[in-house]
Amino acid sequence: MGDTLEFNEIYQESKGSWNDGRLRFSKQNLVYKSSKTGKVDNIPAAELSQATWRRVCLGHGIKLATSSGHVYKYDGFRDTDYERISEFFKANYKVELTEKDMCVKGWNWGTAKFSGPLLSFDVNDSSVFEIPLASVSQCATGKNEVTLEFHQNDDAEVSLMEVRFYVPPGPADEGADPVEAFAANVLSKADVIQATGDAVCVFKELQCLTPRGRYDILIYPAFLHLHGKTFDYKIPYTTVLRLFLLPHKDQRQMFFVISLDPPIKQGQTRYHFLILLFSKEEELRLTLNMSEEEVEKRYEGKLSKNMSGSLYEMVSRVMKALVNRKITVPGNFQGALSWAQCITCSYKAQSGLLYPLERGFIYVHKPPVHLRFEEISCVNFARGTTTTRSFDFEVETKQGNQFTFSSIEREEYGKLFDFVNAKKLNIKNRGFKEGMKSKNNEYSDSDEDQHDAYLERMKAEGKIREEGDGSNDSDEETGEYDSNASVSDSGSGGDGTDDEGKKKKPAKKAKVVKERKPRKEKKQKDTNAPKRPMSSYMLWLNSSRERIKSENPGISITEISKKAGEMWKQIGKEDKEGWDRKAEEAKKNYEKAMKEYRENGGGSSTPAKKYETTHTHTRGGWWEER
């Protein structure tokens, strides 16, 4: 038995949707990392109190309960994993992994049991389904009925909106109402935000970019309340995923970004990020609505009752203490322009700022985008669509989504390329950097040095055409103008008057008109003539095309040419000489066949070109056209 057990593609239920990730059991703790959000759940081994093995929807699952009252459920294990996990739990956690069957009878009459954060509906001591009370957004009561409404997950294709429980009336001697008791148990653990008590502190009239407007932020122990003129939002700290503090490019403002999962909603609009904008010069003196003993006991030195400093520092410090998450700031990246820690660009026709971070990219502000390095499949540097003064930065994720940040100044290329290269991200077009530093400062294709099969073919056919058609007529003729036109001398001498007493004007020079070449008639193709020979490359390609198709199923025609060019470059000298001999032999056969064809009268039906001589009078002489 090793020190750790690791499992990939293990799923965790989050508001009605299954998100995959990686689960690792070690002697000290259990760690689960979501592939979608990157969120990490770290469960100390000493806190484990119960472990249950169950047959569930995606295979076999484990339900873990801790001494602090939390419940974690993971799905996607195989039947053969039970023995390994059970032995590991006994040896390292001193907890027995018990097997428990789910009730699948389909009965809708049973017993509701409240166990920590879960509501379990049981039939004959076997669980039918479980409801995480943290997913409950509202609880309404009727005469003998309790209705539970749930937070909705935008990623779930099918969502459970509500569940209704019929609660039969209790015996007459019992004073407590069973409906109210049921609702009280739900509300004690449900994520139903109720603004009870006073706020810890209040920030007045903060500028919010997303959602746009001026909002008062009321900080409560369990949630923050955004109060605006039109809308109110209550955001539990459990939904806060990450915090970012980003300096603006002008060095006079700061962005404070709060990443939310699930997002806050207003109608059909979803806000996955809360973005606040602060001026660095704005100062604030803050007094918390708590005693010094309470502040010290609850926040353990992270906050003090009286604080002063910049407004953005006060907001970020309070949020960090209440949410209990680190604040992400830009790393060592500095752009080429103004040495800022961000890059000016556009995304979806909106201008904004792209921040390269130590573990990802974030774009603010409309719409905000956060991309972690571990979810990026590859990046690409592309030419700008409108001008060569800029370029595009494309990011493709492992889920197949593509994000294009356009209109980035060309001077930023070197810094961004070095940053991406240092982070060991997969770059699609290696070699693009050298093209950026060429003399004419133009972009070059990444496959510039690769064999161009189409160009080789055109060159070969052009050469054969020149050699095969020995009687090419030259259509170019030099045009001359009449040199007898009189041109007056413009030099000094004489009295400056002619015979008529008028001032002599210098004669204008003859205007030279370039010869108009006669339009070439379209050459008719002789279908009876022998077929021109192919080059050595084309002979090799025809013999290798089927082999390339079989080795690369589903390859397109253009990809076949590219693949063939690469293979042709790698062919040895002796093999190429063999194909050159075949091409030379084919050329000799063609010349011999062409000679016999012409001797037999072939190719003589093409009418000779006739030209008509015309004369055009121009200022300063005559022009002869043919």
Side-chain angles (χ1 to χ4, degrees), residues 494-511:
D495 56 1
T497 58
D498 57 7
D499 296 339
E500 297 177 0
K502 294 183 181 179
K503 189 174 181 179
K504 185 182 272 186
K505 295 182 180 180
K508 295 183 178 179
K509 293 184 180 180
K511 184 177 181 182

Side-chain angles (χ1 to χ4, degrees), residues 84-98:
R84 296 168 54 205
I85 299 175
S86 179
E87 291 178 5
F88 189 90
F89 274 40
K90 285 181 181 179
N92 298 285
Y93 300 154
K94 310 302 180 186
V95 174
E96 185 177 355
L97 184 63
T98 59

Side-chain angles (χ1 to χ4, degrees), residues 131-176:
I131 297 176
L133 294 179
S135 299
V136 177
S137 63
Q138 195 58 257
C139 178
T141 59
K143 184 178 180 181
N144 291 316
E145 199 173 67
V146 179
T147 303
L148 306 184
E149 297 179 9
F150 302 100
H151 292 290
Q152 298 306 303
N153 189 340
D154 296 336
D155 297 329
E157 297 180 1
V158 179
S159 296
L160 179 64
M161 303 297 294
E162 66 176 37
V163 171
R164 294 185 181 183
F165 293 94
Y166 172 75
V167 183
D173 56 348
E174 292 186 9

Side-chain angles (χ1 to χ4, degrees), residues 244-262:
F244 301 89
L245 188 60
L246 310 170
H248 197 281
K249 192 172 185 179
D250 60 12
Q251 302 299 324
R252 292 182 290 119
Q253 300 180 95
M254 296 290 290
F255 293 108
F256 185 64
V257 182
I258 303 174
S259 174
L260 304 172
D261 183 39

